[in-house]
Amino acid sequence: MLERLTLTISTAQGKSRIMKEAATTEKKAYHHGDLRAGLLSAIRQLVEEKGPDQFSVAEAARLAGVSTAAPYKHFKDRDEMLKAAALDNMARQSTEMRDALAPLPPKCVERIEALGQLYIECATREPGMFRLTFALSSGHNRDPSLIASGKAMFGLLQHEVATFLGIEPLDPEAERRAMMLWSFVHGLSFLLIDGKVEAMELDLDLPQMLHDVAQRVMVDH
Amino acid sequence: MLERLTLTISTAQGKSRIMKEAATTEKKAYHHGDLRAGLLSAIRQLVEEKGPDQFSVAEAARLAGVSTAAPYKHFKDRDEMLKAAALDNMARQSTEMRDALAPLPPKCVERIEALGQLYIECATREPGMFRLTFALSSGHNRDPSLIASGKAMFGLLQHEVATFLGIEPLDPEAERRAMMLWSFVHGLSFLLIDGKVEAMELDLDLPQMLHDVAQRVMVDH
DNA sequence: TGTACATCAGTGAACGCGCGTTCACTGATGTAC
DNA sequence: TGTACATCAGTGAACGCGCGTTCACTGATGTAC
């Protein structure tokens, strides 16, 4: 049957890690150890394999090695599970954004490009999670923590834009430019992961295009 | 219960239209008249209401006023129904694109803007169908007629771009610029219909933004 | 240190549901004569 | 013009399926004494 997940998520404390390792050798423990994290990992995997809409609680439970009722001890319902997975993914991506910016000197257009490149990279690396995080998902736009997380990420881009232009981060012009950039990489990401670029036999030089767009949007004449 | 659909689709010939009108007065006819068109209309409505993934054959049949088995006389399976609806939508949108260009003088940037505006308009007017047509897709990217239709639409944009720049339509530069524009309006469309713009309280001047982007992408310095 | 106990993360069976698709059928239609 | 008949678009019942969620329960754990 299905093996218990051994992947340890960032939130797992030392305690549960020990329990999990014990479980791995003993093979059958009544308690999972850190089922919440195990489920998030299973959800992640299933959302990738089947897409956010086809994800099922039962299958996630099976994958995590517990009964179909177990997830309801950690999440109110299916939608809460997806929201938690989305939030988790946003946190990861935020970290990646900061990491991508860290080594670059301030006030250069490469910083803008790097954010765009990372966005597309996240999309193509995990299309399912990208969809879950940045697209549809009916109720998600009403969830305060998801909104806050989204605003923080956009704020990061907006801040970069403002710094480059030498204006205030709250200047509407910074928001406008950031929105242009976001729209572009967002659209390109979807055209890529939805297979439109491939189906229509478009061959594009991604880095070149990102560079070109960043120049056109950020540099005035 | 549900009324029979009276909306007549473009493909309905005179014959079936007469039959349908007869049915409307008689109230209960054994034959539908033009069930294929009726189903496409029902699919369209349901895809709007529930989204492409939540669309169900049974519900479409109910809405069209026939038994759940009837659709299978016209389509091989659920996926064929969605593909047919997508193709239908592409044809409509192509027509709209041509109509939008018709009154505009050649070689002006307004033509590019008009295409972008229409794209976003189609997306916000019928988000479900837009999703079905330009995203989603598992098998759709392997369907020759859908691919051909997509290529034709992109070709239209590409042609406009080439004409404006005064280069050959097949020049890779035309494809590059067209791709930038498509990515932008595609991304913006999704950010709008997925409620991200609203949720994150971004207020943007759409026409101004479209104009600005068209300028930045099309005009070199 | 050892024991009694409260806690609560898990179980497994059950529920009602709507789905996609198939089947043998029925009856309205248009056509050949 | 009238009739016999082939066609095939519809019916309605049935199937097997996996789902989300609930329920009373069980048993491993950590803690108070």
Side-chain angles (χ1 to χ4, degrees):
Chain A
M1 269 288 145
L2 293 161
E3 282 302 313
R4 166 156 312 131
L5 289 164
T6 53
L7 184 65
T8 309
I9 303 296
S10 53
T11 51
Q13 307 102 321
K15 188 174 61 175
S16 33
R17 188 173 292 128
I18 289 164
M19 290 164 63
K20 196 176 292 170
E21 281 165 12
T24 313
T25 55
E26 257 182 59
K27 226 63 187 167
K28 196 69 202 176
Y30 191 85
H31 288 96
H32 178 279
D34 192 351
L35 182 54
R36 203 192 126 91
L39 280 171
L40 282 179
S41 168
I43 293 167
R44 194 175 189 80
Q45 188 179 327
L46 287 175
V47 164
E48 270 324 305
E49 283 172 18
K50 323 251 178 174
D53 283 300
Q54 314 308 322
F55 151 80
S56 92
V57 178
E59 207 164 355
R62 246 173 273 137
L63 190 54
V66 292
S67 72
T68 57
Y72 293 90
K73 285 288 193 287
H74 297 271
F75 303 97
K76 185 176 139 283
D77 55 23
R78 182 180 183 278
D79 202 51
E80 289 292 325
M81 300 179 210
L82 287 177
K83 276 191 200 166
L87 198 61
D88 180 60
N89 199 52
M90 281 183 139
R92 289 167 187 246
Q93 189 159 337
S94 288
T95 305
E96 285 195 65
M97 283 169 80
R98 274 177 248 275
D99 289 351
L101 289 178
L104 299 174
K107 281 201 96 170
C108 65
V109 78
E110 280 77 18
R111 292 175 72 89
I112 309 283
E113 287 178 49
L115 288 181
Q117 192 172 17
L118 178 69
Y119 195 83
I120 294 172
E121 211 171 283
C122 286
T124 50
R125 193 205 306 143
E126 293 182 289
M129 287 305 293
F130 178 75
R131 252 181 250 284
L132 175 64
T133 310
F134 291 107
L136 184 70
S137 319
S138 44
H140 294 202
N141 292 330
R142 239 145 275 141
D143 185 288
S145 51
L146 283 173
I147 292 175
S149 196
K151 279 186 178 169
M153 291 177 84
F154 184 74
L156 215 146
L157 171 62
Q158 199 170 338
H159 179 266
E160 283 302 320
V161 167
T163 304
F164 181 84
L165 293 176
I167 60 179
E168 290 296 310
L170 294 180
D171 189 319
E173 188 59 18
E175 186 177 298
R176 277 190 68 248
R177 306 281 183 113
M179 194 60 199
M180 287 185 204
L181 293 166
W182 190 20
S183 294
F184 171 73
V185 292
H186 191 71
L188 188 47
S189 293
F190 273 106
L191 291 175
L192 283 166
I193 67 180
D194 286 332
K196 302 302 172 195
V197 172
E198 193 192 14
M200 292 174 58
E201 295 168 56
L202 303 165
D203 44 13
L204 39 86
D205 183 334
L206 260 180
Q208 186 213 340
M209 199 154 180
L210 268 166
H211 180 73
D212 195 359
V213 167
Q215 287 288 341
R216 286 174 187 274
V217 172
M218 296 305 295
V219 181
D220 295 320
H221 297 278
Chain B
M1 269 288 146
L2 293 161
E3 282 303 313
R4 165 157 312 130
L5 291 163
T6 53
L7 183 65
T8 307
I9 303 297
S10 53
T11 52
Q13 306 103 321
K15 188 175 63 175
S16 32
R17 188 173 291 127
I18 289 163
M19 290 164 65
K20 195 175 291 170
E21 281 164 12
T24 313
T25 56
E26 259 183 57
K27 225 63 189 169
K28 195 70 200 174
Y30 191 85
H31 287 95
H32 179 279
D34 191 352
L35 182 54
R36 204 192 126 90
L39 280 170
L40 282 180
S41 168
I43 292 168
R44 194 176 188 79
Q45 188 179 327
L46 287 174
V47 164
E48 269 325 305
E49 283 172 17
K50 322 251 179 173
D53 283 300
Q54 314 308 323
F55 151 79
S56 92
V57 177
E59 206 164 357
R62 248 174 271 138
L63 190 54
V66 292
S67 72
T68 57
Y72 293 91
K73 284 288 192 286
H74 297 271
F75 303 96
K76 185 177 140 281
D77 56 23
R78 182 179 182 278
D79 203 50
E80 289 292 325
M81 300 178 209
L82 287 176
K83 276 190 199 165
L87 198 60
D88 180 61
N89 199 52
M90 280 183 141
R92 289 168 186 245
Q93 190 161 336
S94 288
T95 305
E96 286 195 64
M97 282 169 79
R98 274 177 248 275
D99 289 352
L101 289 178
L104 298 175
K107 281 200 94 168
C108 66
V109 78
E110 279 77 18
R111 293 175 72 89
I112 309 283
E113 287 177 50
L115 288 181
Q117 195 171 14
L118 178 69
Y119 196 84
I120 294 173
E121 212 171 283
C122 286
T124 51
R125 193 206 306 145
E126 293 182 289
M129 286 305 292
F130 178 75
R131 251 180 251 286
L132 175 64
T133 310
F134 292 107
L136 179 88
S137 61
S138 45
H140 293 205
N141 292 329
R142 238 144 276 141
D143 185 289
S145 51
L146 284 172
I147 291 175
S149 196
K151 279 185 179 170
M153 292 177 84
F154 184 74
L156 216 146
L157 171 63
Q158 200 171 337
H159 178 266
E160 282 302 321
V161 167
T163 304
F164 181 84
L165 293 176
I167 60 179
E168 290 297 310
L170 292 180
D171 189 319
E173 189 58 20
E175 186 178 299
R176 276 189 68 248
R177 304 281 182 112
M179 194 61 200
M180 287 184 205
L181 293 166
W182 189 21
S183 294
F184 171 74
V185 292
H186 191 72
L188 188 48
S189 293
F190 273 106
L191 292 174
L192 284 166
I193 68 180
D194 286 332
K196 301 302 172 195
V197 172
E198 193 192 15
M200 292 175 58
E201 295 168 57
L202 303 165
D203 44 12
L204 39 86
D205 183 334
L206 259 182
Q208 186 213 340
M209 201 153 180
L210 268 167
H211 180 74
D212 195 358
V213 167
Q215 285 289 342
R216 286 173 187 274
V217 172
M218 297 305 295
V219 182
D220 296 318
H221 298 277

